[in-house]
Amino acid sequence: MSHPFHSIRSCLKEKVLMKSYVFFRTGGRADYLFEPDSADLLKEGLTLFKQAALPVFMLGAGAKVLVHDDGFRGVVIRLRKGAFAHMDKRNDLVYECGSGVMGADLAQLACREGVQGFEFLCGFPSSLGGAIHGNSGTKDGTIGPLLENMMTISPATGEEKRWDKKEMDWKYRSFPALKDSIILSAVLRGMKGDTKTIADKMESIRLERGKNEPKGFSCGSIFKNAATIKAWEVIDQLGYRGYGIGGAQVSFEHPNWIVNKGRATSKNIWDLICLIRTKAKEKFDVTLELELNLLGDFMKNSTGLDT
């Protein structure tokens, strides 16, 4: 009997341990990991997975994902090869990039060519696709304003769509209209700058991040800031700075980070998240919204708030 996914077997792996692909270094196995190198292969895979009634999950660089210890009964799609890894210069200030390009790589290229506006990406552990989905940013910049247009595909229909700048309705750390779309590529525009000035700014950003980032495996900020108070302030006022469950610990340096000290399970991390959200609601009537994505059935037997 032929394999049900024979035509895409060259870029499909089975029973893949996902902890190797995410920054937390926790989590179980996914039934399939699909890493196509072209839009055509991606489309073919999406059609087959839909026919097999398999759920799919888009994974970028793995910086903002918590994988359930029991894994994921479906297909994880990772676009990091071939057409999804290209960086082409359209003109002096404009780049066309595949969604799998790392933000730091684009920042380095722009720096060498004297194009500014991408500096904040130099310390960003994210692919462009992931950064766009989450409208990622720091105090030094945000991805949204750099975008001129992008191409996406619908997992449900296989239909491709071009998004122009005027259609992009950005929200804080989100792009709601992209919720059910896969980003294929994006066109981004910078500004004319000086290579040395850009390089100096990037070095300053890297040094600051290195000085302030907690040590250990982490996905960065866990919660989005609330409307009236920063998430780290809520956690600090609750007294959870340094608090731990199993091998997971709220960071001393930055309370909105949870760190895997080396032996944490995803359940340890999830239990901390649920505890913090529950107490924030009880004590301050603040609902802390997650800034990370969940892969697997975290709602089963959960005592925390729905995400």
Side-chain angles (χ1 to χ4, degrees):
M1 180 182 293
S2 64
H3 192 279
F5 306 128
H6 174 75
S7 60
I8 58 169
R9 285 196 70 177
S10 63
C11 46
L12 188 71
K13 299 176 183 176
E14 299 184 38
K15 303 299 180 186
V16 177
L17 189 61
M18 293 309 301
K19 67 190 300 181
S20 303
Y21 293 87
V22 296
F23 279 39
F24 264 134
R25 294 294 188 267
T26 64
R29 296 182 184 275
D31 287 347
Y32 298 98
L33 176 65
F34 181 47
E35 299 182 284
D37 59 8
S38 69
D40 287 342
L41 264 178
L42 173 61
K43 286 182 183 179
E44 186 170 356
L46 290 172
T47 298
L48 292 171
F49 303 144
K50 183 179 179 181
Q51 290 172 352
L54 284 171
V56 299
F57 180 91
M58 280 303 306
L59 181 70
K64 287 291 183 182
V65 180
L66 179 64
V67 182
H68 198 284
D69 292 318
D70 292 337
F72 178 58
R73 305 286 72 79
V75 184
V76 174
I77 301 175
R78 192 168 181 257
L79 307 180
R80 299 292 298 278
K81 301 176 179 179
F84 304 111
H86 78 277
M87 288 191 291
D88 298 325
K89 197 170 187 183
R90 284 273 191 92
N91 60 44
D92 286 348
L93 303 175
V94 178
Y95 297 93
E96 181 178 6
C97 301
S99 60
V101 168
M102 293 299 290
D105 292 337
L106 176 57
Q108 290 286 359
L109 175 62
C111 176
R112 290 195 299 270
E113 297 179 343
V115 180
Q116 68 181 27
F118 300 97
E119 295 92 325
F120 74 97
L121 292 170
C122 73
F124 229 64
S126 177
S127 65
L128 284 180
I132 293 168
H133 260 289
N135 190 20
S136 299
T138 69
K139 63 181 181 61
D140 299 295
T142 304
I143 193 75
L146 297 173
L147 281 166
E148 291 288 291
N149 61 71
M150 62 183 165
M151 291 295 300
T152 65
I153 186 171
S154 165
T157 66
E159 180 183 356
E160 292 189 32
K161 173 179 170 61
R162 175 189 164 110
W163 300 72
D164 291 315
K165 199 175 191 72
K166 62 184 179 182
E167 299 177 83
M168 299 179 191
D169 184 20
W170 301 103
K171 305 297 183 187
Y172 171 66
R173 296 295 180 263
S174 70
F175 189 164
L178 282 180
K179 184 173 182 287
D180 297 316
S181 297
I182 296 172
I183 298 170
L184 301 176
S185 62
V187 175
L188 306 97
R189 178 183 294 274
M191 298 169 288
K192 186 64 180 173
D194 172 71
T195 295
K196 185 178 186 309
T197 302
I198 296 168
D200 288 345
K201 183 175 181 180
M202 288 170 59
E203 180 63 15
S204 175
I205 291 171
R206 278 191 290 261
L207 288 173
E208 184 177 358
R209 287 182 67 92
K211 180 175 65 176
N212 296 329
E213 283 188 0
K215 302 297 184 285
F217 302 119
S218 177
C219 78
S221 295
I222 296 290
F223 303 107
K224 299 177 184 179
N225 289 326
T228 58
I229 189 170
K230 292 186 181 299
W232 76 264
E233 293 175 329
V234 173
I235 299 166
D236 204 28
Q237 290 176 32
L238 287 170
Y240 285 135
R241 186 187 290 261
Y243 184 82
I245 294 178
Q249 182 181 54
V250 175
S251 168
F252 281 103
E253 294 88 351
H254 199 314
N256 196 21
W257 289 44
I258 292 176
V259 177
N260 172 8
K261 298 193 296 181
R263 54 185 179 82
T265 63
S266 291
K267 185 179 186 304
N268 294 155
I269 296 167
W270 180 240
D271 286 348
L272 263 183
I273 289 171
C274 290
L275 174 66
I276 292 167
R277 297 186 80 207
T278 300
K279 295 302 182 183
K281 186 66 175 177
E282 288 177 358
K283 188 168 183 179
F284 302 116
D285 195 27
V286 171
T287 299
L288 291 177
E289 186 179 347
L290 285 177
E291 197 172 308
L292 79 165
N293 299 298
L294 303 174
L295 178 55
D297 189 5
F298 281 90
M299 291 300 103
K300 185 179 180 181
N301 301 322
S302 174
T303 57
L305 301 173
D306 288 343
T307 55

